[in-house]
Amino acid sequence: MVELTNFRSLGGYATADGQIKKGMLYRGGQIFDLSTQQVTFLRDHLGISRIVDFRSTAERNQYPDSVWQGVDYEPVDVLVDAKKSGVSIEGMINNAGDISQVMLATYARLVTSASAQKGYRQFLTALVADPQPTFFHCFAGKDRTGVAAALILKIAGASDAEIFSDYLKTNQSRKKANEAIIARLADQLTAGQQKALGQALVVDKRYLSHFFETIEQQYGSFANYLKSGLKLAPDFPAEFRRQYIEQG
């Protein structure tokens, strides 16, 4: 397979009723300045016809996606109203000293903020209304994307073990890219900042746990979060499974 940073399919993950369909849902990091070979892989080999970009306007302008003719490109900024987060490279550097607390707060905002609720509702609704091979991403493909993947897997009926296993794969998948980022910024950062940035570039089980804990605190249950937080129809989970679950 052609190498893309933190790229993987959600197809094949086990659920209560079977497995997630292969060839439909892919997650990863930003696809800025892709090679012809990488574009060909996404467009022709995988047949991806929709890209959902969870990054901010500033991130998209600085590192625009490599899109191709005919692909449906949908920007969905899920943290537009977050005042302080560590999800962009700038945010990681600025908040590197207290990144754990910043990330826990960010994951709570991914539950409670209006932009996150609107963005994830838009994303999930589109998946069901118009099923097609979809690639969704943010900057690193770890936080905003990690939550999106966790939502998909939870709605699909995957186990918590499966959900957290996929989430934590990011740390191995991003290892080479993270080392390159730190090396590129080395002459601009102190040794302490480099170490802190290294910590900021990985995911921690506590972050996603805090996301689900916040859902329980705010909404009482995941089902009520889908209904009252994301404003999804009561039959949405069943319809999602009908579209995206197949027998293994």
Side-chain angles (χ1 to χ4, degrees), residues 1 3 11 16 32 35 37 47 63 65 72 75 84 120 126 130 174 179 205 219 237:
M1 187 178 80
E3 185 173 354
F32 167 71
S35 67
Q37 184 182 27
Y63 299 106
D65 272 1
D72 179 10
K84 183 181 181 184
Y120 286 131
D130 184 18
R174 281 205 57 85
E179 290 171 352
K205 184 178 180 179
Y219 295 100

Side-chain angles (χ1 to χ4, degrees), residues 105-120:
T106 294
Y107 275 70
R109 288 192 194 99
L110 287 170
V111 176
T112 61
S113 74
S115 61
Q117 292 175 358
K118 177 183 177 182
Y120 286 131

Side-chain angles (χ1 to χ4, degrees), residues 49-77:
S49 53
R50 174 167 55 203
I51 297 169
V52 180
D53 187 346
F54 294 128
R55 296 176 301 165
S56 66
T57 301
E59 290 174 289
R60 297 195 303 269
N61 288 341
Q62 186 174 6
Y63 299 106
D65 272 1
S66 297
V67 297
W68 51 91
Q69 186 173 2
V71 73
D72 179 10
Y73 174 75
E74 301 176 5
V76 180
D77 185 352

Side-chain angles (χ1 to χ4, degrees), residues 7 10 20 32 36 48 73 89 115 147-149 155 184 192 206:
F7 181 88
L10 296 187
I20 296 179
F32 167 71
T36 300
I48 288 172
Y73 174 75
I89 189 64
S115 61
V147 163
I155 292 168
R184 176 167 56 85
R206 292 177 301 156

Side-chain angles (χ1 to χ4, degrees), residues 1-8 26 31 34-46 176:
M1 187 178 80
V2 174
E3 185 173 354
L4 291 159
T5 300
N6 205 15
F7 181 88
R8 55 190 174 275
Y26 301 90
I31 50 172
L34 294 189
S35 67
T36 300
Q37 184 182 27
Q38 289 171 317
V39 170
T40 298
F41 173 72
L42 294 172
R43 181 191 62 206
D44 300 336
H45 182 72
L46 298 182
K176 185 191 297 185

Side-chain angles (χ1 to χ4, degrees), residues 30-241:
Q30 65 185 17
I31 50 172
F32 167 71
D33 199 24
L34 294 189
S35 67
T36 300
Q37 184 182 27
Q38 289 171 317
V39 170
T40 298
F41 173 72
L42 294 172
R43 181 191 62 206
D44 300 336
H45 182 72
L46 298 182
I48 288 172
S49 53
R50 174 167 55 203
I51 297 169
V52 180
D53 187 346
F54 294 128
R55 296 176 301 165
S56 66
T57 301
E59 290 174 289
R60 297 195 303 269
N61 288 341
Q62 186 174 6
Y63 299 106
D65 272 1
S66 297
V67 297
W68 51 91
Q69 186 173 2
V71 73
D72 179 10
Y73 174 75
E74 301 176 5
V76 180
D77 185 352
V78 295
L79 278 176
V80 69
D81 57 359
K83 295 178 181 177
K84 183 181 181 184
S85 72
V87 298
S88 68
I89 189 64
E90 291 81 6
M92 291 177 192
I93 294 170
N94 293 338
N95 298 298
D98 61 346
I99 194 64
S100 291
Q101 292 307 309
V102 169
M103 293 310 299
L104 289 170
T106 294
Y107 275 70
R109 288 192 194 99
L110 287 170
V111 176
T112 61
S113 74
S115 61
Q117 292 175 358
K118 177 183 177 182
Y120 286 131
R121 176 174 66 250
Q122 178 182 337
F123 169 61
L124 293 167
T125 301
L127 291 182
V128 167
D130 184 18
Q132 57 180 297
T134 298
F135 170 61
F136 57 97
H137 75 90
C138 50
F139 156 59
K142 70 185 187 74
D143 301 309
R144 292 163 287 187
T145 297
V147 163
L151 289 174
I152 287 171
L153 293 172
K154 186 78 170 175
I155 292 168
S159 67
D160 288 348
E162 199 89 281
I163 292 168
F164 279 88
S165 174
D166 174 73
Y167 176 72
L168 292 170
K169 282 179 181 177
T170 284
N171 289 341
Q172 184 59 39
S173 297
R174 281 205 57 85
K175 189 173 182 181
K176 185 191 297 185
N178 289 350
E179 290 171 352
I181 289 172
I182 293 170
R184 176 167 56 85
L185 297 172
D187 61 349
Q188 304 171 39
L189 305 174
T190 66
Q193 286 176 319
Q194 290 181 46
K195 181 179 179 181
L197 179 58
Q199 295 171 339
L201 283 165
V202 299
V203 293
D204 188 313
K205 184 178 180 179
R206 292 177 301 156
Y207 302 160
L208 189 60
S209 293
H210 190 59
F211 173 78
F212 285 117
E213 289 163 2
T214 303
I215 285 175
E216 291 293 324
Q217 292 165 2
Q218 296 292 322
Y219 295 100
S221 68
F222 185 74
N224 193 46
Y225 161 70
L226 296 180
K227 180 182 177 182
S228 302
L230 299 189
K231 302 294 193 295
L232 295 170
D235 64 347
F236 180 85
E239 183 60 21
F240 183 91
R241 293 179 192 133

